[in-house]
Amino acid sequence: MSTQYQQFDICIIGAGMVGAACACAFAQLGLRVAVVESYLPAPFEASQSPDLRVSALNRHSINLLTDLNAYDAIEVMRYRVYDTLSVWEDELAKTTFSAHDINEKQLGIFAENRIIQLALLQSIKQHHNDSVVVFNTKAKQIDTASGTLELANCEYIQAKLIVGADGANSQVRLSAGIGQTGWDYRQRANLILIRLHEEIADETWQQFTPTGPLALLPMHDNYASLVWYASAEKSALIQAMDNDDLQKAVIKKFPARLGNFEVCDKAGFGLRRMHANQYWQNKAVLVGDAAHTINPLAGQGVNLGFKDVSALINAIKEHGLDDLSTTLAVYQKQRKLQNLLMMSTMDALYASFSNDIQGIKLLRNFALGMAQRAGPLKNMALKYAMGI
């Protein structure tokens, strides 16, 4: 008995933020789309505590989500605007980026990853229910040469293009035989959810220390997410603390500007750089973390992923799916170098500040002080980070 394949124009593996955005965008082009995802998020309820994983969305990402009919749903659920970014090692050499300086109302928003994902999935259901089919299962086997997939629920799919939006350990990347380069930063990012007793400003800040950055990301209702970079050994101690002991440790480690707060939850993840050697092979293409993972120093991870989505959509609009080699080569040319440049810039910043060498310390604080007075150059860098 011959295998019966369900036919689609595109099959997306992974329905996270980037994968779900791809599904919406492809559906808007009139394409028939399959999405394979085994872990769909729980529905939103206002009474739920905030999630620990939060993303900073810049102007480009907000515009994309608006075009995909998802941004309004984020606003209905919950998010937090921020209009100021402050960066320092020594308070005397602080650099502050303000939306006011470039005649903008905001630099971006912070939203929980699950909220962004839910908003995109809601857009699929409301606007593209006829053209997008979500398979709540895993891909058992992927053949990127023929564009065929066997799913764990014993269904079969054939598509003109397979999109790997399945994260840093991408099954699509592995199936396509695409290699990667990268390294482990030998640190972990500890995420600590707190609730402040006083009203929190629309400001995100980051202090560099020799053992890694400390950051605050404002959230709704005076919640905030703290990011504490630390070694694996120190991170294990942080994660083992109860909330009272962790509060004491945060007070000791973080700047006094934090104010009064209570610890609500914590989690952590390892830091690793990864860049795929190529973004496509045969009938498979990689987007988001499947193609690149970046040091989260400046919160650019999901913004780079959404730029991948825009570039892939534009390439398909211009060249279609019948000549995949041309379409995917155009996509790779537009995104691979840009992603590499951003990854390398973040690594340079990370390496420059993650040490206690006195001469380098003086130089980097001088550079931060000069950046504060850079005027047009500082504003140009800010606009680039915002995706303007």
Side-chain angles (χ1 to χ4, degrees), residues 6 8 11-12 14-15 19-20 23-24 32-41 117 120-122 124-125 128-137 151 153 155 157:
Q6 299 180 58
F8 294 90
C11 178
I12 303 166
C24 289
R32 182 162 168 75
V33 182
V35 179
V36 178
E37 174 58 68
S38 56
Y39 299 106
L40 292 171
Q117 182 186 14
L120 287 160
L121 292 174
Q122 180 177 312
I124 292 172
K125 188 173 182 179
H128 309 296
N129 205 35
D130 293 335
S131 55
V132 178
V133 179
V134 178
F135 294 86
N136 188 194
T137 186
L151 306 184
N153 64 357
E155 293 186 89
I157 290 173

Side-chain angles (χ1 to χ4, degrees), residues 294 300 304 337-346 384:
I294 185 173
Q300 288 299 308
L304 294 182
L337 179 58
Q338 288 294 317
N339 287 330
L340 178 61
L341 289 172
M342 181 62 77
M343 295 164 71
S344 299
T345 300
M346 292 304 102
Y384 180 78

Side-chain angles (χ1 to χ4, degrees), residues 41-42 48 72 105 115 124 196 202 221 253 264 267 371 373 381:
Q48 293 168 334
D72 286 349
K105 293 182 179 179
I115 297 293
I124 292 172
L196 291 119
D202 294 333
D221 293 342
K253 182 70 174 179
C264 304
R373 296 182 287 274

Side-chain angles (χ1 to χ4, degrees), residues 128 220 315 333 355:
H128 309 296
H220 67 285
K333 183 177 181 180
N355 63 74

Side-chain angles (χ1 to χ4, degrees), residues 88 91 190-192 194 205-207 209 212-217 225-230 238 246-259 261:
W88 74 91
E91 286 272 10
N190 296 282
L191 306 178
I192 305 167
I194 66 170
W205 51 258
Q206 185 163 247
Q207 180 184 22
T209 78
L214 306 169
L216 176 140
L217 317 179
S225 178
L226 302 181
V227 186
W228 181 347
Y229 279 56
I238 292 170
L246 184 52
Q247 180 189 36
K248 294 173 185 176
V250 169
I251 290 171
K252 185 176 180 180
K253 182 70 174 179
F254 277 69
R257 64 157 53 197
L258 195 57
F261 65 94

Side-chain angles (χ1 to χ4, degrees), residues 26-59:
F26 293 141
Q28 286 184 343
L29 295 182
L31 300 173
R32 182 162 168 75
V33 182
V35 179
V36 178
E37 174 58 68
S38 56
Y39 299 106
L40 292 171
F44 172 75
E45 293 181 11
S47 60
Q48 293 168 334
S49 296
D51 296 331
L52 283 156
R53 297 302 295 264
V54 178
S55 289
L57 300 180
N58 65 15
R59 170 75 72 79

Side-chain angles (χ1 to χ4, degrees), residues 66-249:
T66 300
D67 291 342
L68 299 179
N69 300 304
Y71 189 68
D72 286 349
I74 294 173
E75 292 185 315
V76 169
M77 287 183 277
R78 56 194 186 201
Y79 71 106
R80 180 61 185 261
V81 167
Y82 71 100
D83 58 24
T84 306
L85 164 64
S86 296
V87 181
W88 74 91
E89 179 179 30
D90 187 318
E91 286 272 10
L92 298 176
K94 181 191 297 183
T95 300
T96 298
F97 299 91
S98 171
H100 176 75
D101 293 340
I102 55 174
N103 298 315
E104 294 286 334
K105 293 182 179 179
Q106 63 186 50
L107 297 182
I109 70 165
F110 288 106
E112 298 154 61
N113 290 6
R114 186 174 66 95
I115 297 293
I116 300 168
Q117 182 186 14
L118 282 170
L120 287 160
L121 292 174
Q122 180 177 312
S123 177
I124 292 172
K125 188 173 182 179
Q126 290 182 347
H127 301 283
H128 309 296
N129 205 35
D130 293 335
S131 55
V132 178
V133 179
V134 178
F135 294 86
N136 188 194
T137 186
K138 294 181 179 179
K140 183 177 179 181
Q141 188 171 1
I142 302 172
D143 186 336
T144 60
S146 63
T148 57
L149 300 93
E150 179 186 354
L151 306 184
N153 64 357
C154 298
E155 293 186 89
Y156 295 83
I157 290 173
Q158 185 167 38
K160 297 177 182 177
L161 176 65
I162 299 172
V163 177
D166 49 346
N169 299 314
S170 172
Q171 182 183 3
V172 175
R173 189 179 68 239
L174 181 63
S175 298
I178 297 175
Q180 57 176 291
T181 57
W183 55 80
D184 194 299
Y185 291 104
R186 294 184 294 179
Q187 276 201 319
R188 293 182 65 82
N190 296 282
L191 306 178
I192 305 167
L193 178 67
I194 66 170
R195 194 167 194 179
L196 291 119
H197 298 168
E198 297 85 20
E199 186 174 351
I200 183 171
D202 294 333
E203 177 187 19
T204 182
W205 51 258
Q206 185 163 247
Q207 180 184 22
F208 291 106
T209 78
T211 56
L214 306 169
L216 176 140
L217 317 179
M219 298 171 68
H220 67 285
D221 293 342
N222 287 341
Y223 283 103
S225 178
L226 302 181
V227 186
W228 181 347
Y229 279 56
S231 66
E233 296 76 15
K234 178 64 176 178
S235 296
L237 294 175
I238 292 170
Q239 295 301 321
M241 293 179 186
D242 63 28
N243 286 353
D244 289 338
D245 287 340
L246 184 52
Q247 180 189 36
K248 294 173 185 176

